[in-house]
C-alpha cells in the first residue's frame, strides 16, 4: 500500500497542521510505503515572495523531521524536485472538464475570501489546483491518500480524471482511495475559528516561549467570573486545545474543574501553555540539532527526490505512451 500526502510551505506551521496532517502522516509510516512531499508548486498560488518560499520550504522539512518523520520509513522530497508532475498535469488538463473545476468548493471559497468574488483577481493556479493535485497523486501510483473533509472533493476529482484518462487511453493510472481523517479533532485558533495561517489565529509548533505564552494567555474567553460554573466547558477554546496536548486524565480533571466553578481562565491558560510547551519539548530539541546539521536535511530531501522521481518517471512514460506522445 502506497500512501501519499503533501503540505504547503505557505507559512509557519502551527499545531493545526501538526494534529491535522503531520502526526497522522507520521503514524502511517509503519502501515505502508509513505510518500510525503513539500508542496512548493502549490504555494505559488498564494505566496509570491521567492525568499519566503525557500525559507518556508526548509522550515517544513525541519519541522517534519523534528516531529518524527523517519527517512528510513518514508520518501520525503520537495515537489519542484520532481518536475515530471507538471508535465503530467498538462496531460490530465486536456481531459479535465471545466465543470469539474467550476464545482470545486475550495476555488469558490478562495475566490470569495481573496478577491471578494472578483474572479479577475484570482490566478489560474487556484482554479487548476485540483489538476496539479491529481498529478501529485497519480504519478506515484498512490493507493491511499489521507485527506480532511475539506479536501475530499479534490480527491473525488482526481478519481474522475484518472477514470476519464483510463477510459480514453486504456488502463494507465491506479485509482486512489481516500482515507478521511474523521477522528482528527478540529483545532480551534485563538479566536475560536478553525486554526489557519490565513486567519492569523495560529499557535506555532516551534514558536519562541514568550510570544507563545502571550498568545495563549490572550485566548478569547467569555465574561463569566471565576466562581461561576461553566456547564459548557467542553466548548472552551483552551479546553479543546488542552485535550490535544495534555494526558487524557489531566484534560478531563481540568475540564471538570472549569465546569464546577472556582477555577479561573487565567489558571486554565497557564495550564494549557505548560502542557503545550512540554508536549513539543523533544521535537524542539531535535529541531535544534537539525538546524545545526542542514547538510543532513538537504541530503534527506535530495535522496527522497531521487526515489520519488524514479517512480514518477515510469508513470509519466506510461501515460505518454498510452496517449500517443511516445
Amino acid at each position: 500500500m502506497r500512501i501519499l500526502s503533501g503540505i504547503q510551505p505557505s507559512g509557519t506551521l502551527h499545531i493545526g497542521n501538526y494534529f491535522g496532517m503531520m502526526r497522522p502522516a507520521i503514524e502511517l509510516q509503519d502501515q505502508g510505503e509513505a510518500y510525503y512531499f513539500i508542496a512548493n508548486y502549490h504555494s505559488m498560488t498564494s505566496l509570491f515572495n521567492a525568499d519566503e518560499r525557500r525559507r518556508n520550504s526548509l522550515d517544513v522539512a525541519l519541522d517534519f523531521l523534528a516531529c518524527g518523520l523517519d527517512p528510513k520509513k518514508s520518501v520525503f522530497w520537495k515537489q519542484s524536485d520532481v518536475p515530471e508532475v507538471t508535465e503530467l498535469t498538462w496531460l490530465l488538463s486536456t481531459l479535465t472538464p471545466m465543470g469539474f473545476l467550476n464545482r470545486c468548493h475550495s476555488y469558490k471559497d478562495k475566490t470569495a475570501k481573496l478577491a471578494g468574488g472578483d474572479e479577475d483577481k484570482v490566478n489560474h493556479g487556484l482554479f487548476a489546483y485540483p489538476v496539479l493535485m491529481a498529478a501529485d497523486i497519480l504519478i506515484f501510483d498512490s493507493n491511499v491518500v489521507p485527506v480532511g473533509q475539506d479536501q475530499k472533493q479534490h480527491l473525488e476529482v482526481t478519481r474522475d480524471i484518472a477514470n476519464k484518462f483510463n477510459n480514453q487511453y486504456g488502463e494507465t493510472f491506479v485509482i486512489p482511495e481516500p482515507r478521511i481523517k474523521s477522528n482528527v479533532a478540529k483545532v480551534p485558533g485563538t479566536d475560536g475559528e478553525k486554526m489557519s495561517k490565513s486567519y492569523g489565529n495560529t499557535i506555532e509548533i516551534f514558536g519562541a516561549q514568550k510570544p507563545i505564552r502571550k498568545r495563549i494567555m490572550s485566548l478569547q474567553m467569555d465574561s463569566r467570573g471565576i466562581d461561576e460554573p461553566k456547564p459548557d466547558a467542553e466548548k472552551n477554546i483552551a479546553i479543546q486545545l488542552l485535550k490535544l496536548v495534555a494526558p487524557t486524565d489531566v484534560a478531563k480533571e481540568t475540564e471538570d474543574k472549569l465546569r464546577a466553578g472556582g477555577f479561573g481562565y487565567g489558571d486554565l491558560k497557564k495550564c494549557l501553555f505548560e502542557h503545550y510547551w512540554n508536549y513539543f519539548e523533544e521535537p524542539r530539541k531535535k529541531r535544534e540539532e537539525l538546524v545545526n546539521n542542514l547538510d543532513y536535511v538537504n541530503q534527506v530531501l535530495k535522496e527522497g527526490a531521487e526515489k520519488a522521481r524514479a517512480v514518477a518517471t515510469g508513470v509519466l512514460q506510461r501515460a505518454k505512451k498510452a496517449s500517443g506522445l511516445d
Side-chain angles (χ1 to χ4, degrees), residues 17 77 95 97 99 117 156 184 207 248 253 271 280-281 294 307 312:
N17 298 131
W77 74 98
L95 289 177
E156 291 170 351
V184 176
T248 303
E253 179 184 352
C271 177
F280 290 106
E281 181 178 3
L294 292 182
K307 293 176 183 177

Side-chain angles (χ1 to χ4, degrees), residues 276-307:
Y276 152 80
W277 195 251
N278 290 338
Y279 187 94
F280 290 106
E281 181 178 3
E282 289 304 315
R284 275 197 304 277
K285 292 178 181 177
K286 177 65 174 176
R287 196 181 192 282
E288 289 176 7
E289 294 173 4
L290 291 167
V291 168
N292 293 318
N293 193 5
L294 292 182
D295 287 344
Y296 167 76
V297 176
N298 290 324
Q299 186 64 24
V300 166
L301 293 174
K302 179 176 181 292
E303 292 178 0
E306 290 171 353
K307 293 176 183 177

Side-chain angles (χ1 to χ4, degrees), residues 146-162:
V147 292
Q149 285 292 341
D150 59 337
Q151 289 289 320
K152 181 174 181 286
Q153 187 184 47
H154 285 168
L155 189 58
E156 291 170 351
V157 170
T158 295
R159 289 167 56 86
D160 289 341
I161 293 172

Side-chain angles (χ1 to χ4, degrees), residues 36-47:
Y36 301 140
F37 64 97
I38 300 169
N40 55 353
Y41 279 146
H42 283 293
S43 73
M44 296 184 76
T45 64
S46 58
L47 178 63

Side-chain angles (χ1 to χ4, degrees), residues 72 95 102 124-125 153 163 213 243 245 270 286 302:
K72 295 178 181 177
L95 289 177
N102 278 321
H124 170 260
Q153 187 184 47
N163 279 317
R213 185 195 298 273
K243 289 178 179 179
V245 297
K270 290 176 183 177
K286 177 65 174 176
K302 179 176 181 292

Side-chain angles (χ1 to χ4, degrees), residues 7-13 37-41 43 47 49-64 76-80 287 297-298 301:
I7 189 166
Q8 284 197 42
S10 53
T12 303
L13 297 186
F37 64 97
I38 300 169
N40 55 353
Y41 279 146
S43 73
L47 178 63
N49 184 300
D51 290 336
E52 190 175 347
R53 187 174 0 267
R54 291 189 191 96
R55 183 171 61 253
N56 288 350
S57 297
L58 176 59
D59 282 341
V60 168
L62 289 166
D63 292 355
F64 231 134
F76 186 43
W77 74 98
K78 284 191 301 182
Q79 187 182 27
S80 59
R287 196 181 192 282
V297 176
N298 290 324
L301 293 174

Side-chain angles (χ1 to χ4, degrees), residues 130 151 168 200 203 264 319:
Q151 289 289 320
Q168 182 68 40
I203 297 173

